[in-house]
């Protein structure tokens, strides 16, 4: 009998792999000989498994009622798939020579587990270290469901609060939630960081009766989307009552005598009295397990992998927010921690380990986000300096066009920016913002990037046109036309 | 001095070509030597120019107020671009040896016009010939603005009607509109034909106080979208109060003593008393000018063209609804009369004639349509028989998935069907239906088709994911996964 397939991490990547492995091993696909009956064991150090991280802002907002709504699978679902799920078990060491992992159990006991194949799906964690004081009460990272539960508990008026309403079941840190539920809701909340998390949290917080202040160290929010998108979003955030502090670096957070965050202080001197803070200044891959082993990290600091998700050590794979994948535009390794990537790569590794070698696919860095009524999307390389670093000579054009035929009700201004390489005409990336079906239009860009299309080819795409959905020339096509014109100059 | 660039037809294709030609000749692009100053003359036999055919259902519905809203350019706009526009002038003959056209003027006078280059952009016309009786009053094809104006005039209560409200200016056939405006509105309207026009007209008519009956000879509406889409649309049409007569071929229309359509009779015996009828049973390319010349027609009956829109005769081009283009999936000539194609090909020919040779691009047959609250899209080859005829071994799969993360409010069932070639795995086509951003998602399919992607490559696309817009696996990806699985069996 072969040693088990051991998975470290019970979220998107790990459970996608385990599930696909079980299905494939059971012979659900007919194209290969079923693998021998090997066990799959998933070690998850926390209590939550398979949860939708991207849904947490909407839980905080109150648009989604229960934490349980955010779980793709309950622990029981996982077990019933034939996966040996061990929550509260932390893998603390790997011996790649002996092919074993060391596991710390809930009571601190340690044991050794052999593996046949090993998957590291340890995810990422929110970083807060540039900002002292984030360990105060009522300072949240919204990385993980307990953090989201704590913030919603705090925002809920004390008399209306009950832990049961959070719908977290036995996985929830009830004590912590109850503690926040008993505190007075904040009047003012600072959001530190104008990336995805920050922008989504502005919308979530504004749904409660609080003043929201967004602090962004750079001059614009959403740097990954470029200035053209950022400016539209910033104007919209202000319309929605969010106070923006752009170009303001937060120096530290202060706390009151109870330990609750009470003041935010910027390096430039700006101060703000706050009753809570949300810190979303970035994430970092959880790679500690790989350190000190032969499992190599890439330049980004995440675990280096090949087209099948294999690390530098035979039999050891890595997927999701802890791993690099190859970028479809540059062909180079890149670290872009996003949900679909983790799911897809996990699924591919599960299939590979079951005996059907499957590529994990590349990443284009496609991301979309809702900022109140504005929809934003981006894909590929949109930053000119980044494009130059990858060896391109980038040219960018930005246009604003209607989302529908001008005469049809509901047409909304849609801004598109595309970047291409001057010499080859190849599309390198794009971003988009608008209120009417804008985000989904980035899929055209993502698909064109995967195909390595030139801007001229994009310009000639036979895209959808009907007055209620798109003008004759879709905004993406309008931008491609303008960029193709610029390239031919 | 060179002979002028003569364009036959003043709608999307013709005016796109003339406009681009003028801009390029003026040296607006810097990449080539400006052409010599050549005239461009556009002959349009009617009074309307540059109008948005696809918007007419929404004018009939009353969602768009004025006919003038549907004009991209007024005749004055056209003239001010430096285009010599001659409305009411019909080109009745071409002498390709002498390089002249014969033009019949408004008063019946004829003259000969020399050309340096000639563009045929004569469009298509609605066919009604399979159904006798469509020449009755109150039987409309909705091909052209006068037809749309007549129907809206008829639907408007007599006391509320004024010709001026139609906003058609001097191009409108006011006499005809006034005549319809004076008639009693119909109580029951038959829509003959369940294609694009028929479905859009159901929505338009239902906005008025009339009973709408849709007659479709085939067993399903929207044959170009496939059964899976059709069934969703049919259920929705019924919910909206439309009476469907599927598999019912209309034999003829009868008229009353005033000459107004009064009864519809099916070959199977079904009869219906009606006060108006809309006949949308197809269109045919206007190729009479090419007949009897050396300008070859393709198998479809439309004018054969190459990758630059050139016909078989040097110096003669054809674009839009009268011309074939190459299909991106089969590589063969195909005739798919749609708006974007005409605009894009016209623009390319204008550029080519101005001296900068430009490809017209291919067609994927991408089409989207609104059927009340349902959005439908299709692209490529979706019919299995058609795929076999083109030499493929087609495999199709249909899935239904949510349009957003399941826990996020507003997720709607979205049905996707994809077709691929068994041997190569190449994606051949797809269709989609759903209420939430479904139509625009077909652009992913259209782009993948243009790139010649396999289903496996589509499955690995890095598409947009955020709970408000898409589940982790976009419905198109879900279908690609299932189809890829079927292909590997």
């Amino acid at each position: 009998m072969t040693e088990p397939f051991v998975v470290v991490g019970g979220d998107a990547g790990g459970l996608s792999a385990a599930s696909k492995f079980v299905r494939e091993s059971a012979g659900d696909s007919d194209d290969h000989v079923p693998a021998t009956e090997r066990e799959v064991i998933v070690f998850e150090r926390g209590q939550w498994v398979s949860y939708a991280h991207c849904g947490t802002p909407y839980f905080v907002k109150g648009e989604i009622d229960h934490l349980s709504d955010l779980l793709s699978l309950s622990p029981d679902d996982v077990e019933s798939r034939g996966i040996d799920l061990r929550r509260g078990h932390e893998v603390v060491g790997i011996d790649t020579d002996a092919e074993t992992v060391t596991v710390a159990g809930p009571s601190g006991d340690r044991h050794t587990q052999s593996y046949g194949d090993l998957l590291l799906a340890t995810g990422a964690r929110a970083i807060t270290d540039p900002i002292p004081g984030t360990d105060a009460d009522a300072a949240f990272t919204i990385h993980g469901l307990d953090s989201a539960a704590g913030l919603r508990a705090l925002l809920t008026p004390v008399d209306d609060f009950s832990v049961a309403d959070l719908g977290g079941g036995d996985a929830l840190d009830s004590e912590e939630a109850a503690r926040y539920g008993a505190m007075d809701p904040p009047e003012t909340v600072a959001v530190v960081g104008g990336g995805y998390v920050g922008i989504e949290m502005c919308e979530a917080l504004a749904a409660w009766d609080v003043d929201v202040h967004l602090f962004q160290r750079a001059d614009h929010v959403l740097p990954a989307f470029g200035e053209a998108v950022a400016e539209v979003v910033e104007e919209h955030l202000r319309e929605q009552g969010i106070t923006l502090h752009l170009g303001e670096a937060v120096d530290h957070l202060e706390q009151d005598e109870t330990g609750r965050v009470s003041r935010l202080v910027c390096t430039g001197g700006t101060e703000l009295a706050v009753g809570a803070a949300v810190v979303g200044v970035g994430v970092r891959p959880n790679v500690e397990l790989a350190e000190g082993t032969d499992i190599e990290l890439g330049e980004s600091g995440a675990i280096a992998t090949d087209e099948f998700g294999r690390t530098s050590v035979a039999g050891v794979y890595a997927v999701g927010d802890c791993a690099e994948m190859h970028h479809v535009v540059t062909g180079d390794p890149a670290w872009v921690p996003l949900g679909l990537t983790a799911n897809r790569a996990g699924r591919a590794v599960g299939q590979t380990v079951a005996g059907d070698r499957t590529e994990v696919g590349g990443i284009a860095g496609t991301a979309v986000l809702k900022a109140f009524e504005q929809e934003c999307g981006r894909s590929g390389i949109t930053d000119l300096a980044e494009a130059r670093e990858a060896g391109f000579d980038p040219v960018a054009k930005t246009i604003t066009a209607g989302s529908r035929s001008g005469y049809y009700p509901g047409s909304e201004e849609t801004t598109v920016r595309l970047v291409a390489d001057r010499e080859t005409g190849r599309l390198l990336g794009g971003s988009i913002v608008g209120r009417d079906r804008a985000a989904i239009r980035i899929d055209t860009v993502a698909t064109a990037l995967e195909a390595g299309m030139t801007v001229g080819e994009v310009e000639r795409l036979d895209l959808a046109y009907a007055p209620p959905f798109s003008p004759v020339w879709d905004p993406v096509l309008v931008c491609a036309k303008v960029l193709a014109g610029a390239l031919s100059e």
Side-chain angles (χ1 to χ4, degrees), chain A:
Chain A
M1 184 189 144
T2 325
E3 295 298 334
F5 175 30
V6 168
V7 176
V8 188
D11 206 348
L15 285 178
S16 291
S19 300
K20 184 67 180 169
F21 174 80
V22 169
R23 279 201 305 278
E24 289 284 305
S25 300
D28 280 5
S29 294
D30 299 335
D31 60 322
H32 64 276
V33 180
T36 48
E37 282 216 4
R38 288 170 63 193
E39 261 189 300
V40 53
I41 306 172
V42 176
F43 294 108
E44 165 55 47
R45 64 180 171 185
Q47 291 303 313
W48 300 103
V49 294
S50 190
Y51 76 92
H53 179 64
C54 301
T56 50
Y58 308 101
F59 168 76
V60 171
K61 186 179 178 184
E63 210 164 0
I64 292 164
D65 288 336
H66 300 123
L67 288 165
S68 58
D69 296 332
L70 296 179
L71 306 183
S72 311
L73 297 169
S74 71
D76 287 348
D77 295 335
V78 176
E79 295 279 356
S80 72
R81 290 187 173 186
I83 296 165
D84 182 354
L85 171 66
R86 308 204 192 155
R87 292 189 291 163
H89 284 74
E90 182 169 10
V91 171
V92 294
I94 305 174
D95 183 332
T96 56
D97 293 327
E99 300 194 340
T100 60
V101 294
T102 304
V103 184
S107 53
D109 55 304
R110 297 195 169 207
H111 74 279
T112 297
Q113 171 67 53
S114 299
Y115 63 80
D117 294 280
L118 176 67
L119 171 61
L120 301 178
T122 47
R125 64 178 175 280
I127 54 174
T128 55
D129 38 8
I131 302 172
T134 53
D135 54 342
D137 270 349
F140 303 89
T141 60
I142 315 298
H143 205 85
L145 294 189
D146 288 313
S147 178
L151 177 53
R152 188 160 114 180
L154 181 66
L155 289 164
T156 307
V158 175
D159 293 343
D160 297 346
F161 179 75
S162 93
V163 169
D165 285 349
L166 298 173
D170 67 356
L172 176 67
D173 183 341
S174 305
E175 203 174 309
E176 173 99 341
R179 204 164 61 80
Y180 278 122
M183 291 186 197
D184 285 330
E187 288 174 17
T188 302
V189 182
V191 175
V192 184
Y196 307 82
V197 172
I199 301 297
E200 289 174 343
M201 288 309 299
C202 283
E203 180 184 331
L205 291 163
W208 298 84
D209 187 24
V210 293
D211 276 340
V212 183
H213 289 249
L214 176 65
F215 292 83
Q216 166 74 336
R217 190 170 51 179
D219 289 336
H220 287 289
V221 299
L222 293 176
F225 289 71
E227 245 181 74
V229 170
E231 284 171 359
V232 173
V233 171
E234 287 159 8
E235 189 186 333
H236 187 57
L237 290 173
R238 290 191 182 105
E239 281 166 12
Q240 299 289 333
I242 308 298
T243 306
L244 301 190
H245 303 264
L246 302 178
E248 289 262 27
V250 174
D251 186 74
H252 66 279
L253 302 177
E254 293 175 0
Q255 45 190 267
D256 64 16
E257 66 286 353
T258 70
R260 177 170 173 171
V261 67
S262 60
R263 180 172 294 275
L264 172 148
V265 181
C266 293
T267 53
T270 303
E271 299 201 4
L272 181 74
V274 298
V278 174
V279 180
V281 294
V283 294
R284 184 174 295 160
N286 294 324
V287 297
E288 289 70 11
L289 273 181
E291 288 168 357
T293 73
D294 292 340
I295 302 167
E296 286 171 15
L297 304 186
E299 268 183 45
S300 68
I303 300 170
T305 61
D306 70 5
E307 69 268 41
F308 300 104
R310 298 179 296 202
T311 69
S312 56
V313 172
V316 182
Y317 300 78
V319 301
D321 291 1
C322 67
E324 291 183 340
M325 286 171 81
H326 84 270
H327 196 286
V328 299
V329 176
T330 64
D332 293 332
W335 179 61
V336 187
L338 288 168
L340 172 58
T341 317
N343 276 275
R344 188 179 55 209
R347 188 171 181 271
V349 166
Q351 195 161 345
T352 297
V353 172
D356 181 16
R357 213 166 70 157
T358 304
E359 288 182 31
V360 294
I363 42 171
T366 309
V368 287
L369 134 131
K370 179 174 179 289
F372 293 91
E373 300 307 316
Q374 292 285 358
E375 304 185 358
C376 320
R378 57 95 55 222
S379 190
I381 309 285
T382 56
D383 183 71
L384 301 188
E386 198 183 335
R388 283 186 203 106
E389 213 165 286
F392 299 109
D393 178 11
V395 182
K397 284 286 171 187
T398 303
I399 62 93
T400 295
S403 62
R404 308 180 181 187
S405 296
Y407 54 79
Y408 193 89
S411 177
E412 295 279 356
E413 282 192 356
T414 305
T415 297
V416 180
R417 178 171 178 270
L418 294 178
V419 183
D421 179 48
R422 186 183 298 277
E423 194 188 327
T424 60
R426 184 172 162 203
L427 184 71
L428 301 177
S431 54
I432 191 164
V433 63
R435 291 169 188 242
D436 177 37
R437 297 176 171 80
I440 284 292
R441 290 181 213 260
I442 204 68
D443 286 345
T444 301
V445 175
T447 307
L449 289 173
E450 183 77 40
M453 283 186 178
T454 65
V455 174
E457 287 166 338
V458 174
E459 183 190 353
R460 288 189 292 274
L461 282 174
D462 194 6
L463 297 187
Y465 157 51
F469 309 130
S470 174
V472 175
W473 297 92
D474 183 277
V476 173
L477 296 181
V478 174
C479 193
K481 276 203 291 189
V482 172
L483 182 52
L487 287 174
S488 71
E489 275 167 14

